[in-house]
Amino acid sequence: MIRTIEWTEQGVVMIDQRVLPAEEIYPCYTDYLQVAEAIRTMVVRGAPAIGVAAAMGVALGVREIRDLPEGAYEEKFEEICRTIEATRPTAVNLFWAVRRMRALFETSRAASREERVRIFRDEAVAMYHEDIAINRRMGEFGQALLPQKGTVLTHCNAGALATAGFGTALGVIRAACQAGKEIQVLADETRPFLQGARLTAWELAQDGIPVKILCDNMAGWMMQKGRIDCVIVGADRIAANGDVANKIGTYGVAVLARENSIPFYVAAPISTLDLALESGQGIPIEERDPAEVTDWKGIRIAPAGVSAWNPAFDVTPSRYVTAIITERGVARAPYTESLRALAGSK
Ligand code: MRU
């Protein structure tokens, strides 16, 4: 089993996703500032995994501040939440997780400081377990959409490494394989961080699921040649109208899928919905350091003096999305109605 993130009494242990697959190391992060930095620098990444890391970071913070006087205690709790929220802007699961911890602060006012340390730890650990259960349910709903035998293209990593375990898009693929379907995966390499080439390929290979890597510019040709039966990706934030923010490059894949009459599926938990946003136009898109594009492992690959753009996400308009798979069922257009109905159901 892939151990993406784990709560231990020493701190939060996370597999360092910056160095996979060359190295498999599990550093332990012992305070909330370290967890915040780990999210920012993408030791841990993927919307649901960021949410769980954020919750565990807040829980560590509550342990660190337990001896502060009352006023300072409240102020510092707010600072912890704000620090963690400031790490990455696009994945809404981060804000969802911190909101849940803030609500817990209110409902645990009667508890002692030591009890609160335990209450926050238990909530963060519960969120970890819930995420795995959600992914398994999503897998069941989603696998029914995949062919009995075929090739599925995915972009970025929406797998066990992007969640507490099992994965969203890759969870659907795992569930299909477990149901006896013969699925081959094509993983877009996903420049510049190479989540596809490094992470998706690594975790599928660990599970014995057949996977081949495509450079990001190959998908169109492969679709035109009939070598892709469907596309499935995860999401970082989904607006009320079904517009989907996901890793940069997803939009291009979705347009190519439509051009070639190939279904384009999105798998994401209800916590990735942001129904307060009418459309994807309101989704904040993270801009990362141009050096991620111009350099590789500290070696410059672009000419000296030339910079680069580095938007980390794009928004796929909902008209390109065949269906959105959640743990409560599958939503189809018109998404404004179907997503709201799923969000309101239990
Ligand atoms: O920048 P990243 O690696 O955090 O981006 C991750 C993605 O875009 C994933 O596809 C998304 O979070 C869904 S993960 C289940």
Side-chain angles (χ1 to χ4, degrees), residues 98-117:
V98 174
R99 196 163 58 242
R100 192 159 150 175
M101 294 314 239
R102 276 204 181 93
L104 191 63
F105 194 80
E106 292 308 319
T107 53
S108 63
R109 279 192 182 278
S112 72
R113 295 286 177 82
E114 280 308 324
E115 282 164 353
R116 263 183 161 170
V117 169

mmCIF file of all heavy atoms in Angstrom, residues 98-117:
data_model
loop_
_atom_site.group_PDB
_atom_site.id
_atom_site.type_symbol
_atom_site.label_atom_id
_atom_site.label_comp_id
_atom_site.label_asym_id
_atom_site.label_seq_id
_atom_site.Cartn_x
_atom_site.Cartn_y
_atom_site.Cartn_z
ATOM 1 N N VAL A 98 -9.394 23.486 6.414
ATOM 2 C CA VAL A 98 -9.121 24.468 7.470
ATOM 3 C C VAL A 98 -10.443 24.989 8.045
ATOM 4 O O VAL A 98 -10.568 25.196 9.257
ATOM 5 C CB VAL A 98 -8.221 25.618 6.937
ATOM 6 C CG1 VAL A 98 -8.060 26.711 7.988
ATOM 7 C CG2 VAL A 98 -6.859 25.075 6.516
ATOM 8 N N ARG A 99 -11.454 25.136 7.172
ATOM 9 C CA ARG A 99 -12.773 25.575 7.658
ATOM 10 C C ARG A 99 -13.327 24.558 8.657
ATOM 11 O O ARG A 99 -13.886 24.914 9.686
ATOM 12 C CB ARG A 99 -13.726 25.741 6.455
ATOM 13 C CG ARG A 99 -14.967 26.542 6.788
ATOM 14 C CD ARG A 99 -15.692 27.054 5.562
ATOM 15 N NE ARG A 99 -16.097 25.997 4.670
ATOM 16 C CZ ARG A 99 -15.674 25.872 3.408
ATOM 17 N NH1 ARG A 99 -14.841 26.754 2.899
ATOM 18 N NH2 ARG A 99 -16.093 24.879 2.655
ATOM 19 N N ARG A 100 -13.122 23.303 8.363
ATOM 20 C CA ARG A 100 -13.603 22.246 9.266
ATOM 21 C C ARG A 100 -12.858 22.330 10.614
ATOM 22 O O ARG A 100 -13.463 22.116 11.672
ATOM 23 C CB ARG A 100 -13.366 20.899 8.572
ATOM 24 C CG ARG A 100 -14.055 19.756 9.228
ATOM 25 C CD ARG A 100 -14.221 18.600 8.269
ATOM 26 N NE ARG A 100 -14.197 17.346 9.023
ATOM 27 C CZ ARG A 100 -14.404 16.161 8.488
ATOM 28 N NH1 ARG A 100 -14.647 16.049 7.206
ATOM 29 N NH2 ARG A 100 -14.377 15.070 9.226
ATOM 30 N N MET A 101 -11.586 22.642 10.580
ATOM 31 C CA MET A 101 -10.817 22.763 11.828
ATOM 32 C C MET A 101 -11.242 24.013 12.611
ATOM 33 O O MET A 101 -11.297 23.986 13.835
ATOM 34 C CB MET A 101 -9.315 22.794 11.530
ATOM 35 C CG MET A 101 -8.759 21.512 10.943
ATOM 36 S SD MET A 101 -9.327 20.009 11.802
ATOM 37 C CE MET A 101 -7.823 19.270 12.354
ATOM 38 N N ARG A 102 -11.548 25.082 11.898
ATOM 39 C CA ARG A 102 -12.031 26.301 12.589
ATOM 40 C C ARG A 102 -13.360 26.014 13.290
ATOM 41 O O ARG A 102 -13.599 26.459 14.409
ATOM 42 C CB ARG A 102 -12.248 27.439 11.582
ATOM 43 C CG ARG A 102 -11.001 28.217 11.239
ATOM 44 C CD ARG A 102 -11.389 29.618 10.745
ATOM 45 N NE ARG A 102 -10.202 30.370 10.399
ATOM 46 C CZ ARG A 102 -9.675 30.423 9.172
ATOM 47 N NH1 ARG A 102 -10.249 29.773 8.173
ATOM 48 N NH2 ARG A 102 -8.597 31.143 8.940
ATOM 49 N N ALA A 103 -14.229 25.267 12.604
ATOM 50 C CA ALA A 103 -15.538 24.929 13.198
ATOM 51 C C ALA A 103 -15.323 24.081 14.451
ATOM 52 O O ALA A 103 -16.017 24.258 15.466
ATOM 53 C CB ALA A 103 -16.390 24.172 12.177
ATOM 54 N N LEU A 104 -14.322 23.210 14.412
ATOM 55 C CA LEU A 104 -14.018 22.355 15.560
ATOM 56 C C LEU A 104 -13.517 23.196 16.740
ATOM 57 O O LEU A 104 -13.786 22.878 17.899
ATOM 58 C CB LEU A 104 -12.953 21.328 15.151
ATOM 59 C CG LEU A 104 -12.685 20.191 16.121
ATOM 60 C CD1 LEU A 104 -13.927 19.326 16.308
ATOM 61 C CD2 LEU A 104 -11.540 19.314 15.601
ATOM 62 N N PHE A 105 -12.810 24.265 16.426
ATOM 63 C CA PHE A 105 -12.325 25.158 17.481
ATOM 64 C C PHE A 105 -13.519 25.724 18.252
ATOM 65 O O PHE A 105 -13.506 25.828 19.471
ATOM 66 C CB PHE A 105 -11.490 26.286 16.859
ATOM 67 C CG PHE A 105 -10.680 27.052 17.851
ATOM 68 C CD1 PHE A 105 -9.470 26.552 18.314
ATOM 69 C CD2 PHE A 105 -11.122 28.278 18.344
ATOM 70 C CE1 PHE A 105 -8.703 27.250 19.236
ATOM 71 C CE2 PHE A 105 -10.371 28.982 19.264
ATOM 72 C CZ PHE A 105 -9.158 28.475 19.717
ATOM 73 N N GLU A 106 -14.565 26.067 17.517
ATOM 74 C CA GLU A 106 -15.775 26.617 18.158
ATOM 75 C C GLU A 106 -16.468 25.553 19.002
ATOM 76 O O GLU A 106 -16.837 25.800 20.141
ATOM 77 C CB GLU A 106 -16.751 27.161 17.101
ATOM 78 C CG GLU A 106 -16.246 28.393 16.376
ATOM 79 C CD GLU A 106 -15.787 29.493 17.328
ATOM 80 O OE1 GLU A 106 -16.455 29.728 18.355
ATOM 81 O OE2 GLU A 106 -14.722 30.102 17.055
ATOM 82 N N THR A 107 -16.661 24.378 18.422
ATOM 83 C CA THR A 107 -17.448 23.358 19.136
ATOM 84 C C THR A 107 -16.662 22.700 20.272
ATOM 85 O O THR A 107 -17.242 21.982 21.077
ATOM 86 C CB THR A 107 -17.941 22.251 18.169
ATOM 87 O OG1 THR A 107 -16.805 21.749 17.459
ATOM 88 C CG2 THR A 107 -18.953 22.794 17.164
ATOM 89 N N SER A 108 -15.339 22.949 20.349
ATOM 90 C CA SER A 108 -14.559 22.304 21.415
ATOM 91 C C SER A 108 -14.176 23.290 22.516
ATOM 92 O O SER A 108 -13.260 23.025 23.300
ATOM 93 C CB SER A 108 -13.291 21.668 20.811
ATOM 94 O OG SER A 108 -12.478 22.680 20.251
ATOM 95 N N ARG A 109 -14.875 24.425 22.567
ATOM 96 C CA ARG A 109 -14.501 25.462 23.545
ATOM 97 C C ARG A 109 -14.556 24.968 24.985
ATOM 98 O O ARG A 109 -13.781 25.415 25.830
ATOM 99 C CB ARG A 109 -15.399 26.690 23.369
ATOM 100 C CG ARG A 109 -14.943 27.573 22.222
ATOM 101 C CD ARG A 109 -15.619 28.918 22.223
ATOM 102 N NE ARG A 109 -15.176 29.695 21.073
ATOM 103 C CZ ARG A 109 -14.031 30.390 21.036
ATOM 104 N NH1 ARG A 109 -13.241 30.432 22.079
ATOM 105 N NH2 ARG A 109 -13.706 31.056 19.948
ATOM 106 N N ALA A 110 -15.478 24.071 25.275
ATOM 107 C CA ALA A 110 -15.623 23.619 26.670
ATOM 108 C C ALA A 110 -14.511 22.655 27.081
ATOM 109 O O ALA A 110 -14.317 22.406 28.273
ATOM 110 C CB ALA A 110 -16.987 22.952 26.837
ATOM 111 N N ALA A 111 -13.768 22.144 26.115
ATOM 112 C CA ALA A 111 -12.746 21.125 26.424
ATOM 113 C C ALA A 111 -11.476 21.770 26.970
ATOM 114 O O ALA A 111 -11.190 22.940 26.698
ATOM 115 C CB ALA A 111 -12.424 20.352 25.148
ATOM 116 N N SER A 112 -10.703 20.983 27.751
ATOM 117 C CA SER A 112 -9.415 21.483 28.248
ATOM 118 C C SER A 112 -8.432 21.533 27.078
ATOM 119 O O SER A 112 -8.673 20.948 26.019
ATOM 120 C CB SER A 112 -8.886 20.551 29.339
ATOM 121 O OG SER A 112 -8.450 19.345 28.727
ATOM 122 N N ARG A 113 -7.300 22.164 27.302
ATOM 123 C CA ARG A 113 -6.291 22.261 26.233
ATOM 124 C C ARG A 113 -5.803 20.868 25.812
ATOM 125 O O ARG A 113 -5.640 20.596 24.638
ATOM 126 C CB ARG A 113 -5.097 23.088 26.715
ATOM 127 C CG ARG A 113 -5.438 24.544 26.997
ATOM 128 C CD ARG A 113 -5.633 25.318 25.702
ATOM 129 N NE ARG A 113 -6.036 26.681 25.980
ATOM 130 C CZ ARG A 113 -5.196 27.656 26.303
ATOM 131 N NH1 ARG A 113 -3.908 27.424 26.375
ATOM 132 N NH2 ARG A 113 -5.647 28.866 26.538
ATOM 133 N N GLU A 114 -5.570 20.014 26.813
ATOM 134 C CA GLU A 114 -5.086 18.660 26.489
ATOM 135 C C GLU A 114 -6.148 17.890 25.713
ATOM 136 O O GLU A 114 -5.830 17.177 24.754
ATOM 137 C CB GLU A 114 -4.716 17.894 27.767
ATOM 138 C CG GLU A 114 -3.360 18.250 28.340
ATOM 139 C CD GLU A 114 -2.214 18.162 27.338
ATOM 140 O OE1 GLU A 114 -2.211 17.278 26.469
ATOM 141 O OE2 GLU A 114 -1.325 19.037 27.412
ATOM 142 N N GLU A 115 -7.417 18.054 26.121
ATOM 143 C CA GLU A 115 -8.500 17.376 25.383
ATOM 144 C C GLU A 115 -8.568 17.901 23.956
ATOM 145 O O GLU A 115 -8.765 17.152 23.004
ATOM 146 C CB GLU A 115 -9.854 17.610 26.074
ATOM 147 C CG GLU A 115 -10.067 16.737 27.287
ATOM 148 C CD GLU A 115 -11.216 17.232 28.180
ATOM 149 O OE1 GLU A 115 -11.778 18.336 27.933
ATOM 150 O OE2 GLU A 115 -11.536 16.522 29.136
ATOM 151 N N ARG A 116 -8.365 19.209 23.828
ATOM 152 C CA ARG A 116 -8.413 19.786 22.480
ATOM 153 C C ARG A 116 -7.314 19.218 21.580
ATOM 154 O O ARG A 116 -7.533 18.976 20.402
ATOM 155 C CB ARG A 116 -8.277 21.307 22.558
ATOM 156 C CG ARG A 116 -9.622 21.999 22.504
ATOM 157 C CD ARG A 116 -9.431 23.480 22.519
ATOM 158 N NE ARG A 116 -10.621 24.157 22.023
ATOM 159 C CZ ARG A 116 -10.794 25.461 22.116
ATOM 160 N NH1 ARG A 116 -9.866 26.226 22.662
ATOM 161 N NH2 ARG A 116 -11.893 26.024 21.651
ATOM 162 N N VAL A 117 -6.145 19.008 22.157
ATOM 163 C CA VAL A 117 -5.053 18.404 21.371
ATOM 164 C C VAL A 117 -5.532 17.072 20.798
ATOM 165 O O VAL A 117 -5.350 16.783 19.616
ATOM 166 C CB VAL A 117 -3.790 18.214 22.249
ATOM 167 C CG1 VAL A 117 -2.742 17.352 21.542
ATOM 168 C CG2 VAL A 117 -3.197 19.570 22.622
#
